[in-house]
Amino acid sequence: MRNDATPDPHAEQVAFGQRLKILRNRRGYSREALGGLMGRSMSWVKGIETGRRGVPPMEVILQLAEVLRVRDLADLTGVSVPIDLFTGPGHARLPAVKAAVDAFPLGSPVQAPPAAHLAARLAAAWSARHTSPHHRDVVGGLLPDLIRDAQAAVRQADRAADRRAAQALLSEVYSLAQFFVAYQPDAALLWRVAERGMIAAQESEDPHTIGIAAWLTAQAHRDSGPQHFDAADHVTDEALRFLDPLLPDATDEVRAIAGALRFEAGYTAARRGESGTAWRHWDAARAVADRLPAAYFHPVTSFSRAIMGAHAVTIAVELHAGGESVRQAARADAATIPSRPRRARHRIEEARGFHLDGQPDVALATLAQAHEAAPETIRYNGYAKRIILEEAESRVPDRRRRASELAVRLGILAA
């Protein structure tokens, strides 16, 4: 029995409207705010919550799930649905990665490899992540040994400088692990990885490493929902306050991570619906990108000149501005993004924009392009799944067929 006065949205007797009100309040949205994000009025929200309106159709339920960051449709419907929109399937390599993270040995007899050898393996792992269409499978196979060896390197370092260098490598290994663990069904593991990466980064005293860890930690906070946006902003602001004085004499890597953090601030502002602040941060990030070499591409964040068009699409989509999303998509060139998963992510953001703009056929075609670039990216993306599930119920037969085929390819529906 619950010991507070908050109703449990999973309780069977709670009606749809009551569930919606509970989830809206938990996210900190007013009726007016939720209505605005849905393109509806405050009275529309009130009508559903009070039961004056009936349960909306599935496409509206899926849109509500996106806006409220609902991770299981049962939270809204009260009926167990065999898909968790914002958590992907557990990857076959997840148990081995989890075991390596959880082991955290103190007296292992494993001999640490030379730092240069470990750094080369880590660079190869990042390269594999960007070039392989099945990047989670490849990275998941490499991570257990990388985690074990990086931990050993920290334990066995004799000099302070060597230990700091080993901590930087360990932090970056945890950063790679966070990419693998993200959107899989183990939130506690994600936070262990994020926090250990941040601690190792601070121990390294390396600005670039600290920036990467802060970038990923801010994302983890933001993806946890609106009640964590302030925490995301705090991490971003602290990291930029640390990095900004170093930028006049910084390397391209440090400049790039500062630019990536500035975009993250804009991303969070867009999630809040703060258009002016979001675009102001995007402008600041673009100014940083313009000072980087034309062909530069950050190996962790993908920050570069080429990525700024994709970032503009993301800002517009998160602001639920369909027309602006499509305009920004027309300006962005996905072909210039060398990373397969990042290119797929951009295609998904474009699809969201087309869907917001009332172009579902173009959205589905764009999602097919995302699947071609990196199947393991779209398979773990809740927004892509929402669009596909909605259009699988379309009244247009050809659209319904194409959406259903995509759903089968993603493993959402059985063949």
Side-chain angles (χ1 to χ4, degrees), residues 126 129-130 172 175-176 179 208 212 215-216 257 297-303:
W126 282 117
R129 180 185 181 273
H130 290 302
E172 196 171 331
S175 294
L176 182 64
F179 275 99
H208 179 240
I212 292 173
W215 181 77
L216 283 165
I257 194 59
F297 175 80
H298 190 264
V300 177
T301 68
S302 299
F303 190 81

Side-chain angles (χ1 to χ4, degrees), residues 104-117:
F104 209 60
L106 297 176
S108 172
V110 173
Q111 179 62 43
H117 181 262

Side-chain angles (χ1 to χ4, degrees), residues 112-337:
H117 181 262
L118 185 57
R121 285 166 54 196
L122 183 54
W126 282 117
S127 177
R129 180 185 181 273
H130 290 302
T131 57
S132 172
H134 301 287
H135 51 91
R136 284 184 189 267
D137 191 55
V138 174
V139 170
L142 298 172
L143 274 170
D145 286 344
L146 279 171
I147 293 169
R148 179 200 65 196
D149 290 345
Q151 289 174 343
V154 171
R155 291 195 310 272
Q156 296 169 22
D158 293 327
R159 299 184 306 163
D162 293 340
R163 184 175 178 83
R164 286 194 297 271
Q167 291 279 21
L169 288 170
L170 177 60
S171 178
E172 196 171 331
V173 169
Y174 281 134
S175 294
L176 182 64
Q178 189 169 337
F179 275 99
F180 174 81
V181 173
Y183 305 112
Q184 295 204 52
D186 195 335
L189 179 63
L190 174 70
W191 278 108
R192 281 200 298 283
V193 168
E195 290 171 355
R196 288 182 185 177
M198 194 71 214
I199 291 169
Q202 290 173 318
E203 292 292 329
S204 78
E205 301 180 8
D206 177 67
H208 179 240
T209 304
I210 291 170
I212 292 173
W215 181 77
L216 283 165
T217 301
Q219 290 187 5
H221 280 298
R222 186 179 60 238
D223 288 345
S224 296
Q227 67 270 39
H228 299 283
F229 287 175
D230 286 346
D233 281 337
H234 178 74
V235 172
T236 303
D237 291 346
E238 286 295 311
L240 286 170
R241 191 174 294 112
F242 170 69
L243 291 172
D244 279 348
L246 308 177
L247 294 183
D249 301 313
T251 63
D252 288 338
E253 284 187 332
V254 173
R255 288 195 181 95
I257 194 59
L261 283 161
R262 291 196 181 280
F263 168 70
E264 288 305 310
Y267 193 166
T268 305
R271 281 276 182 89
R272 282 195 169 103
E274 298 171 351
S275 178
T277 302
W279 286 114
R280 186 171 67 252
H281 284 302
W282 182 87
D283 285 336
R286 183 183 59 179
V288 176
D290 288 344
R291 293 196 291 272
L292 294 170
Y296 180 84
F297 175 80
H298 190 264
V300 177
T301 68
S302 299
F303 190 81
S304 57
R305 293 188 190 181
I307 209 67
M308 291 311 301
H311 282 341
V313 174
T314 296
I315 292 291
V317 167
E318 291 295 344
L319 290 168
H320 296 268
E324 182 62 21
S325 302
V326 171
R327 284 190 290 274
Q328 292 296 344
R331 297 172 187 168
D333 184 3
T336 63
I337 302 174

Side-chain angles (χ1 to χ4, degrees), residues 34-117:
L34 178 59
L37 290 171
M38 290 290 294
R40 309 271 184 158
S41 66
M42 178 179 66
S43 63
W44 179 84
V45 177
K46 182 178 179 180
I48 293 178
E49 291 184 350
T50 59
R52 182 168 50 83
R53 290 178 176 270
V55 177
M58 179 56 73
E59 59 266 28
V60 177
I61 292 174
L62 290 168
Q63 187 182 358
L64 283 166
E66 175 183 338
V67 170
L68 294 169
R69 300 292 290 172
V70 171
R71 296 185 178 275
D72 188 332
L73 287 183
D75 287 356
L76 270 172
T77 65
V79 179
S80 180
V81 180
I83 178 161
D84 188 341
L85 284 178
F86 292 96
T87 299
H91 195 280
R93 296 193 184 275
L94 180 61
V97 174
K98 174 178 167 60
V101 173
D102 289 346
F104 209 60
L106 297 176
S108 172
V110 173
Q111 179 62 43
H117 181 262

